[in-house]
Amino acid sequence: MKVLLVDDEKELVTTLAERLSLRGWEAQWATSAEEALDRLKSEAFDIAVLDVKMPRVDGLLLKKKMQAMCPAMKFIFVTGHGSSQDFQTGASEVGADYYLVKPLNIDTLTAKMNEALRR
Amino acid sequence: MTTDSGLVGRAGLQFYGKMCASISHDIKNVLAVINENAGLVEDLCFAAERGKPLDPLRLKRAAADVKAQIRRGDEIISGMNRFAHSVDSDSVQVNLLEIIDLLAAISVRFAAMRGLTLQIDRSESGATVTTSPFLLLNLLWLCLEQAMEASGPDRKVALAAERISGGVCLRFRGLEGLKAAPLGGLSAEPAASLCCALSAEVRADAQTGEILVQLAGGRG
């Protein structure tokens, strides 16, 4: 399965991509919304993992744009909020079913990715 | 103008909360990167136990990333500590270059979210004023928010401190979208009460693209 990781923390997405690759995922990354949208023009992904707070275009708006390009794509949000509950109001507005709090537990992340893809 | 102490207190608490939330986000990002690097080392060790050779260069890179994040975290927490101590005294001698350094340190994430960079002009390092550092930071933050809205196409806001006749002045420069307005375009409150409490005057100069904060009684 092909996953696109989007976060302005480059060291985070590159390392996470490497770890997901070791687990059999085809993982790619982008460090901005603009880069993610560019990538989506030439490649298809099954799922995206998006940081909520990013410069210029945040994760919630990025999800809307990506979904308009790839309606079947699934999304998981990650946030630096204190708890996932703090983030739920904003997330529910864009129909985000899955959100995780940083720092991530990779087993939880992959479980949520599999769950989202099964839906 | 009069000082509404309740209003200044509420505004101060909102400012403090906003900054703490932003700083905690930054710290979360630092921890997230360290966490992924620690996880990667675990993954590589796990693979090595199953016969895949360990790549020492990859391990060194992970260690270097962790060290870099620890340095970054230390800078963030040092800024947070200086900010927390800004409430210690209501009247203390404040070095203006240090105060704009601190403002930039705690605001850098807000600027980055807008795709902006903050530049500090260090040519005037000796200007001081006796004031409340926290209230001054709060007023300067309101000015910076306004300045970030009015920044030009180069996406930079420059901050400078200088001595002027009878006081000191802080400038936010490079604001091509600035419009002349009372209080530099800031909301009347809490800016007016903060100005009154600090004996400060804020004005916007649309021609030069600057917001100026003048404080009486400064020293060079």
Side-chain angles (χ1 to χ4, degrees), chain B residues 162-182:
Chain B
E162 65 186 39
R163 284 170 287 176
I164 54 167
S165 172
V168 289
C169 179
L170 293 134
R171 295 176 188 270
F172 298 81
R173 292 179 172 140
L175 316 180
E176 290 182 26
L178 193 64
K179 291 179 184 136

Side-chain angles (χ1 to χ4, degrees), chain B residues 62-84:
Chain B
D65 280 351
V66 169
K67 281 184 180 173
Q69 292 302 320
I70 288 170
R71 280 194 296 274
R72 177 186 171 198
D74 184 51
E75 277 174 24
I76 294 166
I77 290 167
S78 295
M80 186 183 187
N81 185 268
R82 283 156 62 209
F83 179 55

Side-chain angles (χ1 to χ4, degrees), chain B residues 184-208:
Chain B
L186 307 182
S187 300
E189 289 296 354
S193 286
L194 281 167
C195 282
C196 187
L198 291 160
S199 300
E201 186 190 333
V202 178
R203 63 188 174 85
D205 188 331
Q207 279 195 322
T208 59

Side-chain angles (χ1 to χ4, degrees), chain A residues 7-9 11-12 15-16 18-19 22-23 53-56 79-82 101-106, chain B residues 25 28-29 31-33 35-37 39-40 43-44 52 58 61 65 69 72 109 112-115:
Chain A
D7 195 308
D8 58 311
E9 293 282 337
E11 291 80 6
L12 178 63
T15 314
L16 189 55
E18 199 172 344
R19 296 189 71 198
L22 288 169
R23 285 162 175 77
K53 295 258 184 182
M54 288 189 290
R56 298 177 297 276
T79 170
H81 280 74
V101 175
K102 292 179 184 176
L104 296 171
N105 177 312
I106 198 154
Chain B
H25 267 84
K28 281 260 193 183
N29 277 328
L31 294 175
V33 178
N35 181 59
E36 290 315 320
N37 276 286
L40 179 65
D43 292 347
L44 296 175
K52 190 178 175 187
R58 186 62 193 97
R61 223 168 67 225
D65 280 351
Q69 292 302 320
R72 177 186 171 198
R109 190 167 178 278
M113 286 296 128
R114 291 169 160 97

Side-chain angles (χ1 to χ4, degrees), chain B residues 125-136:
Chain B
S125 60
T128 63
V129 67
T130 299
T131 191
S132 158
F134 180 73
L135 293 187
L136 180 56

Side-chain angles (χ1 to χ4, degrees), chain B residues 4 13-14 29 32 63 68 96 123 128 161 178 199 206:
Chain B
D4 182 333
L13 200 55
Q14 283 172 351
N29 277 328
L96 293 186
S123 53
T128 63
L178 193 64
S199 300

